[in-house]
Amino acid sequence: MCGIVACSGKGHSQDVVVEGLGKMQYRGYDSFGFALVTESGSLETSKSLESYHEEKILLPPSQVLLGHTRWATHGAVNLTNGHPHVDPRGNFALVHNGIVENFDDLRSKLTESGRIFITSTDTEVIVFLMAQQLAEVQLAHQLVKADLTHESQSANSSETNAQIHEFRILALSRLQKKLKGRNTLVFLFSDGHILGARQGSPLIVGQGEQGLFLASDVLAFAPQMRRCFAMSDGDIVSIKSQQLVLIREAAMVVPKWQEVDFDVLESSKDGHKHYMLKEILEQWSTIPQQLQIEPDTFDDLVDSCVKAPQVIVLGSGGAALVAKQVAWILRNIGGTRAIDIPAYEVDAYECMVNETDIVLAISQSGETADTLLAMEKLNLWGVKIACLVNMPLSTMTRSADLVFYNRCGPEECVLSTKSASAQLTFGYLLAHAIKGEFSVAKKDINLLSHQLSRQLVKSEMNVYQSVVACLKDTPNVFLLGTGKHLATAMIGALNIKEASYVHAEAFSAGELKHGVIALVEPNVPVILFIPKDDLYMKTVAAEVKTRGACVIAICESENTTINENIDYQLVIPGGGSILSAVIPCQLLAYYLAIARGVNPDRPRNLAKSVTVQ
């Protein structure tokens, strides 16, 4: 969701923050802005509703900057509602990631006390509350000193910078207690003091040769940071003049810095116009990365799956559909009892969950709010949790008993492509390991990687561009699959919706005659997933073709026996593997977006990391 970056540098830091905020675009945004302390000592802000282009952003020289990409929740998308917000006296600027759940109550009380709001945001409530807490803390201190010295005037003038910083930390601590919900805040004061507080949404602290950094994601400052640590919920961090203080439970603590190989987090388009196509085509290299697992941790998971009465696979959004497919793989290949649960519906399944079960939670970012909340509940229910994520230092990795990384590298496109196939591959590896056939899965995965390396090249993409002619002007696309390809069809429909804004809906092919066929009309595109020698799906192709559909068959192998019922045929790359079956729809989604003039990397209204509920 919203992206936060901040830097307290040793030199001019504006280029570092501008570049870092650019890397936060994948989180989704509809406006962006900066706050900085100029060399003359004034606090200045700038905001924009334009697309983010680093080369067009010109900021005054500064050593201390704060940047933000906003994904609107409260208040329309306009400059007034955009971040950073500045308090009326110009003492500090604030950026905010999250939602204040008790916003209405707090705003009503502030309005009754005479506060006048100029925005529709919950962030402005935080600004007024922080100003209020600062005033109350400072007044209390002055009264104590006046009582001791009998001279309020001299007490006020003798406050040191250190005391002022302490006031701010105390005020922020009190402010945190007033806010309900997941709210991560970063303040920049006019003297260059940065204060950050994490509650729910991620906040990473980094250190490098150019200074100290704060960011929502390690990607933001990957080239500059040499070590970092992830803040925990309730933490407060204070940065001033290269001095860092971490406050946890009202006490100073020593940060546990981690050395991270940030070079692996660097990404580029590698000559492609969009990240999406680059990330689709590099799946030949990311799928075999799932073999790079910690043996002891993986053995623990395998043993837990064998012993548990039930394996629960959990996710949100695209990861929920990947979880559905992984559960199918665990049942039908691993022979274990596995169910998938959408993370946001976990309460509805409480009656089915036992503390002897094992949970596999799936997320690309490791920061998905719905999944984290589900994990919190499952922890309270006493269930053992393993997580599968792509990003290091994420919250999910600190909430799970067992942690596994996909090692795909940054996925800059909002849509999950290479991370989805990587997570399916992990499920395939786990299923075979449960059966004692790890070596079989390893051989399959290496063979698939070799096949994809030859097939996922630009020269092989013409067939997808020709199929788009059937899709680009249609308002609806329907996808039908069954068995192992039902979840694949659902993932494909989501990819098409996200990338191109075309309404795409997936159904079980078995539902066709039970109502879905009413939607089939002349020229409507219907995408069918047809396993090799599947007579049932061939019949389905004939049924929709006779009603005038434009039929696109995605087959596991070349199949010439149904050509009279199909208009286009695509073959799943990699020998029709269940792990690569999602790739044809990924490519269709990409080329359909291009044909419709949509940027597939940055779909409207979407965010890569959904950190609010």
Side-chain angles (χ1 to χ4, degrees):
M1 306 298 275
C2 301
I4 294 173
V5 297
C7 178
S8 179
K10 297 177 181 178
H12 292 162
S13 304
Q14 60 268 33
D15 292 341
V16 177
V17 172
V18 168
E19 180 182 354
L21 196 63
K23 294 181 179 180
M24 292 289 94
Q25 292 183 74
Y26 79 96
R27 299 175 69 87
Y29 73 98
D30 38 50
S31 65
F32 66 88
F34 299 91
L36 56 88
V37 178
T38 65
E39 292 182 327
S40 62
S42 62
L43 182 64
E44 295 187 5
T45 63
S46 66
K47 306 178 187 180
S48 176
L49 302 178
E50 304 296 325
S51 296
Y52 194 93
H53 298 288
E54 295 174 27
E55 66 277 4
K56 296 182 180 180
I57 297 172
L58 301 176
L59 298 173
S62 177
Q63 293 186 3
V64 187
L65 288 93
L66 179 60
H68 186 269
T69 50
R70 180 184 185 232
W71 190 87
T73 55
H74 290 69
V77 178
N78 57 46
L79 290 179
T80 302
N81 289 332
H83 294 212
H85 288 245
V86 179
D87 86 297
R89 296 186 178 183
N91 292 327
F92 63 83
L94 165 67
V95 298
H96 167 216
N97 186 3
I99 293 176
V100 181
E101 294 178 357
N102 55 335
F103 157 72
D104 289 330
D105 181 54
L106 292 172
R107 180 172 173 134
S108 296
K109 290 178 180 178
L110 286 166
T111 301
E112 290 172 3
S113 67
R115 300 289 186 179
I116 299 175
F117 288 84
I118 62 172
T119 78
S120 306
T121 68
D122 53 350
T123 307
E124 191 177 12
V125 166
I126 303 174
V127 170
F128 283 138
L129 288 175
M130 183 61 172
Q132 185 181 80
Q133 293 302 312
L134 284 168
E136 290 178 2
V137 168
Q138 191 162 7
L139 177 60
H141 172 76
Q142 291 173 4
L143 291 174
V144 170
K145 289 202 72 174
D147 186 53
L148 294 173
T149 63
H150 304 291
E151 193 173 339
S152 176
Q153 186 71 27
S154 64
N156 185 35
S157 62
S158 66
E159 291 171 357
T160 66
N161 287 335
Q163 287 175 320
I164 292 173
H165 294 170
E166 289 177 5
F167 297 160
R168 293 170 180 169
I169 292 171
L170 179 57
L172 180 52
S173 178
R174 292 181 177 180
L175 169 65
Q176 284 181 299
K177 297 174 182 177
K178 292 181 175 291
L179 304 179
K180 293 182 179 179
R182 302 165 61 87
N183 295 281
T184 290
L185 316 172
V186 179
F187 295 85
L188 172 60
F189 292 87
S190 56
D191 61 357
H193 184 203
I194 296 174
L195 270 185
R198 176 196 162 126
Q199 188 60 53
S201 300
L203 197 58
I204 307 294
V205 183
Q207 184 180 55
E209 294 180 0
Q210 297 192 47
L212 292 166
F213 313 102
L214 289 177
S216 298
D217 196 315
V218 291
L219 286 179
F221 296 121
Q224 288 78 27
M225 285 195 289
R226 284 294 157 256
R227 61 177 189 163
C228 62
F229 67 88
M231 292 174 62
S232 300
D233 281 347
D235 283 1
I236 293 176
V237 65
S238 168
I239 299 174
K240 181 68 167 71
S241 302
Q242 303 306 303
Q243 298 297 313
L244 184 147
V245 176
L246 180 64
I247 309 295
R248 180 172 296 156
E249 296 179 353
M252 290 177 55
V253 295
V254 178
K256 293 183 179 180
W257 295 96
Q258 296 185 41
E259 302 293 334
V260 178
D261 182 7
F262 290 103
D263 292 336
V264 302
L265 296 175
E266 280 296 276
S267 64
S268 70
K269 295 178 182 175
D270 289 341
H272 298 286
K273 187 174 181 180
H274 298 98
Y275 283 110
M276 184 176 176
L277 183 59
K278 178 251 188 183
E279 290 163 7
I280 292 172
L281 298 184
E282 70 184 6
Q283 289 176 95
W284 69 270
S285 64
T286 55
I287 282 175
Q289 284 297 318
Q290 308 324 298
L291 296 169
Q292 308 302 316
I293 52 178
E294 294 292 336
D296 291 343
T297 309
F298 188 69
D299 288 346
D300 190 345
L301 176 60
V302 173
D303 184 60
S304 297
C305 290
V306 170
K307 293 178 179 177
Q310 181 171 249
V311 180
I312 299 168
V313 195
L314 194 74
S316 298
L321 301 180
V322 170
K324 181 179 288 294
Q325 185 74 314
V326 169
W328 188 95
I329 292 171
L330 292 176
R331 288 193 303 269
N332 291 275
I333 296 178
T336 187
R337 178 183 172 88
I339 63 169
D340 63 282
I341 297 179
Y344 34 81
E345 295 290 345
V346 70
D347 285 336
Y349 289 82
E350 183 177 2
C351 61
M352 296 176 59
V353 177
N354 190 286
E355 63 180 12
T356 54
D357 292 336
I358 176 74
V359 170
L360 176 61
I362 298 176
S363 172
Q364 191 283 141
S365 67
E367 301 292 351
T368 309
D370 290 306
T371 307
L372 288 169
L373 181 59
M375 290 172 66
E376 290 174 10
K377 292 178 179 178
L378 288 161
N379 272 319
L380 291 175
W381 299 345
V383 185
K384 186 175 183 178
I385 301 176
C387 73
L388 179 60
V389 300
N390 189 41
M391 291 302 297
L393 297 174
S394 61
T395 304
M396 196 174 290
T397 63
R398 302 194 300 279
S399 304
D401 302 292
L402 303 173
V403 177
F404 300 92
Y405 291 105
N406 291 128
R407 297 180 172 87
C408 290
E411 193 175 56
E412 296 278 357
C413 175
V414 168
L415 278 72
S416 289
T417 54
K418 62 179 180 177
S419 65
S421 61
Q423 289 157 352
L424 293 176
T425 303
F426 182 90
Y428 185 80
L429 195 62
L430 177 60
H432 277 281
I434 290 170
K435 288 182 65 179
E437 298 177 350
F438 182 90
S439 60
V440 173
K442 182 177 179 180
K443 181 179 178 180
D444 290 346
I445 291 167
N446 284 327
L447 176 60
L448 175 61
S449 172
H450 176 69
Q451 292 171 320
L452 293 180
S453 69
R454 292 183 287 108
Q455 296 169 353
L456 293 183
V457 292
K458 281 186 176 180
S459 60
E460 298 292 320
M461 298 298 108
N462 291 336
V463 62
Y464 290 95
Q465 297 184 60
S466 64
V467 174
V468 163
C470 173
L471 300 174
K472 70 183 183 70
D473 296 320
T474 184
N476 301 295
V477 177
F478 301 109
L479 297 88
L480 300 176
T482 187
K484 63 181 177 180
H485 289 313
L486 175 56
T488 305
M490 292 178 173
I491 295 170
L494 179 63
N495 290 160
I496 291 170
K497 280 185 282 196
E498 290 177 320
S500 69
Y501 313 152
V502 171
H503 173 247
E505 205 67 40
F507 300 96
S508 168
E511 289 292 332
L512 182 64
K513 290 186 286 292
H514 298 282
V516 175
I517 202 167
L519 299 172
V520 179
E521 58 187 3
N523 299 318
V524 65
V526 177
I527 299 174
L528 304 178
F529 286 83
I530 305 181
K532 184 178 180 181
D533 300 323
D534 188 308
L535 296 178
Y536 175 71
M537 288 304 294
K538 292 177 184 178
T539 300
V540 171
E543 289 173 346
V544 295
K545 183 61 180 176
T546 58
R547 287 158 177 82
C550 174
V551 182
I552 302 166
I554 298 179
C555 304
E556 293 182 353
S557 60
E558 294 289 347
N559 192 329
T560 60
T561 63
I562 59 169
N563 282 347
E564 68 274 11
N565 291 321
I566 67 171
D567 297 281
Y568 300 94
Q569 179 172 289
L570 301 172
V571 178
I572 296 170
S577 170
I578 190 173
L579 306 181
S580 55
V582 298
I583 294 177
C585 280
Q586 292 174 354
L587 289 164
L588 283 177
Y590 173 76
Y591 285 110
L592 183 56
I594 299 304
R596 291 170 59 86
V598 175
N599 180 356
D601 287 343
R602 305 285 179 259
R604 67 189 178 201
N605 303 331
L606 294 180
K608 184 73 169 180
S609 180
V610 185
T611 58
V612 297
Q613 291 178 279

